[in-house]
Amino acid sequence: MSDVRDAGFDDWLDALESGDPYYLECPEGHGSLPPRRVCLECGATDLEQRPLPDAGELETFTITHVPTPAFEDDAPYATAVADFGPVRVTGQVVGIDLEEVETGLTVEPDVITSETDGERVVAFRPR
Amino acid sequence: MSDVRVAGVGLTSFGNTPERTGRDLFAEASIEAFDDSGVPRDDVEAVLYGNFMGELSEHQGHQGPLMAEAAGVHAPATRYESACASGGMAVREAVKRVRNGENDVLLVGGTERMTNLGTGGATEALAIAADDLWEVRAGMTFPGAYALMAKAYFEEFGGEHEDLAHIAVKNHENAVPNEKAQYRSEIDVADVLEAPQVASPLGLYDSCPISDGAAALVITSESYAEEHDLDAPVAITGSGQGGDRMALQDREYLARSPAARSAGEEAYADADVTADDVDFAEVHDCFTIAEVLALEALDLESTGEGIAAARDGRTTADGDHPINLSGGLKAKGHPVGATGVSQVAEVTSLLRGDHANSDHVADATTALTHNAGGTVASAVVHVLEVVA
Ligand SMILES: [Zn+2]
């Protein structure tokens, strides 16, 4: 991984770390995540930052036992898609025993670092 | 509009041959396809070639001309990349070119060299078919992505791992007589359920292997086939392509494949057939759940019922509509860029009656191939029929 930032994405992680996570909203109210210039639903190009809802709900999850090399020391870990209302987000479920992870679990977003390479990872903590 | 004939097919054995280069694999497949077709190399007007991870596995981009050389063809060549649907997209381009009169003779192929990367390297290479920022950096692997879909399917429609196990058992059984298949050993439901977990609920036997291999087709127009008195009874009569959002988190459905549905609808309409006309099919079963999603998207099974199709015998070799008689990606192997081309090769052989499993579909006239890219952000479907 290079040291060059990914504009939009790294800014979003910064915001999440400082407690002000956001999503992008078009004039019609459709949500999306950066870096995005065009609304997926309606094609609007004037997207505004809005506060991400505090809580999401796990919609589906898996326990990954065979990771890519970037997560070799992290496995096994839970990966989930969580629904925050205007957007869904993919992340790792932390702060809970893997056996306890279940769909419908209410979570809040967080940032952790990979045990393997120290890169930042989107995470979900039970709320 | 001219029929598009499959004049010759060629396949390497799929399997674990880390030392063989992509060019060597494709040379072997193309030699078999030319021999099978009786078409001289000099008549080939273009090479259309599918490959996904060549930059990572062989440090090789620009594979079109390289593979034309390997096949002994002097013609313009282009590589098509659409993740695991790369080969199917090359086939689709060939169909369009023959139909619009641009070409009469094409070499269509695909190759992937994967096992030299090792399990970690191949897992990483496959993962780049997902959204890097929002999926891969969260630790999502490809088995993980399909596991997310499997779990969502169970939540929405019911079913359990044991249902999926029957799909793996079926596809292994189909691969036993196929001498090109990677796994030619039968397994049982207990083997699948007891295998190590890769990404829950999917285990080792729910997953296709990492494979090396190549596939090639000589495609001609109907008029060329007739003029040269080719023995080419099988035509590609329908083609369709569908698309969906790249990342699962941006999809409307986590347990359905709308891209495969629209590709299927387009291909059925194009061939003027319906799902009821399909005698058998090769579908993209990179993971057991993928076969379920494919069958439902293609209307070969009703939504929510595909999970039971193998268990209840509808898709077994002697069922109503046998699925993956080659062994599928699951047991035959999945050298990514070759897969979509190899599906067309297998279906052609099955329809011609010269495949090890042809006896199971002796009266078949209509079949289908379904090739998916990523978590089905891309899908390509072809209808094949016996026309001569
Ligand atoms: Zn919008």
Side-chain angles (χ1 to χ4, degrees), chain A residues 6 9 12 33-36 40-41 59-66 69 71 77 79 88-90 92 103 121, chain B residues 120 123-124 127 133-134 136-139 141 144 147-148 151-152 155 197-200 245 248-252 254:
Chain A
D6 287 303
F9 181 72
W12 189 84
L33 291 165
R36 179 84 67 187
L40 283 169
E41 295 289 336
E59 202 170 335
T60 184
F61 72 94
T62 177
I63 312 297
T64 296
H65 296 268
V66 182
F71 289 94
Y77 54 85
T79 302
R88 288 203 201 102
V89 183
T90 308
Q92 290 187 13
T103 54
V121 178
Chain B
T123 302
E124 185 175 31
L133 295 180
W134 290 103
V136 181
R137 293 195 197 182
T141 61
L148 292 170
K151 185 86 182 164
E155 293 277 333
Q197 289 276 292
V198 174
S200 67
R245 287 169 184 180
L248 288 175
Q249 66 185 27
D250 292 327
R251 302 253 175 101
E252 185 174 1
L254 293 176

Side-chain angles (χ1 to χ4, degrees), chain A residues 25-31 39-44 47:
Chain A
E25 187 183 55
C26 79
E28 304 272 321
H30 304 127
C39 174
L40 283 169
E41 295 289 336
C42 69
L47 308 183

